């Protein structure tokens, strides 16, 4: 298995008004996006080309949304990227860029 292209831990993942996990993981690897619980159980996954990711137009900069298999998930990542060597989730902006890059739509 190849090294993940993007990994975020400590991510709050929700669906509508329901919280699915408060310390989940988001992983992009081998052309797939995976949403995982804190225990590593898969919530949902799909090929990156089929995923739509975006940041909030208003509100907090740490929030993003991802449409996976027709379901919209709200993600609360870090507001800013953590300092090198410091644990913590990357910013929502980095998540959206990683999805676009993995799908071939990025820079």
């Amino acid at each position: 298995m190849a090294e993940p292209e993007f990994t975020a831990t400590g991510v709050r993942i929700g669906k509508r008004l329901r919280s699915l996990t408060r310390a989940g993981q988001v992983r992009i690897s081998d052309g797939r996006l995976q949403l995982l619980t804190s225990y590593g159980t898969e919530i949902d996954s799909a090929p990156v080309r089929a995923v739509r990711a975006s940041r909030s137009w208003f509100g907090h900069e740490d929030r993003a949304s991802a449409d996976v298999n027709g379901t919209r998930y709200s993600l609360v990542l870090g507001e800013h990227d953590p300092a090198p060597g410091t644990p913590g989730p990357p910013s929502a902006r980095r998540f959206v860029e990683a999805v676009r890059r993995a799908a071939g739509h990025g820079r």
Side-chain angles (χ1 to χ4, degrees):
M1 188 165 154
E3 187 73 23
E5 300 163 27
F6 177 86
T7 302
T9 57
V11 179
R12 181 174 292 195
I13 302 173
K15 184 165 75 171
R16 297 196 181 193
L17 297 175
R18 195 173 108 214
S19 177
L20 300 175
T21 183
R22 295 164 81 189
Q25 293 181 8
V26 176
R27 184 181 304 157
I28 298 174
S29 181
D30 297 328
R32 288 190 73 77
L33 173 95
Q34 293 181 304
L35 301 176
L36 307 168
T37 66
S38 55
Y39 299 108
T41 305
E42 187 174 286
I43 296 170
D44 209 345
S45 71
V48 178
R49 291 187 177 274
V51 173
R52 285 188 351 188
S54 61
R55 268 189 22 200
S56 303
W57 282 63
F58 52 88
H60 299 283
E61 289 185 22
D62 61 348
R63 297 182 188 269
S65 65
D67 291 340
V68 182
N69 296 324
T71 303
R72 174 167 283 188
Y73 293 95
S74 61
L75 309 173
V76 180
L77 295 107
E79 190 168 331
H80 303 287
D81 289 329
T86 306
S91 66
R93 178 186 51 76
R94 262 198 45 219
F95 165 69
V96 172
E97 289 172 0
V99 170
R100 290 185 179 146
R101 189 172 44 252
H105 300 231
R107 300 170 203 186

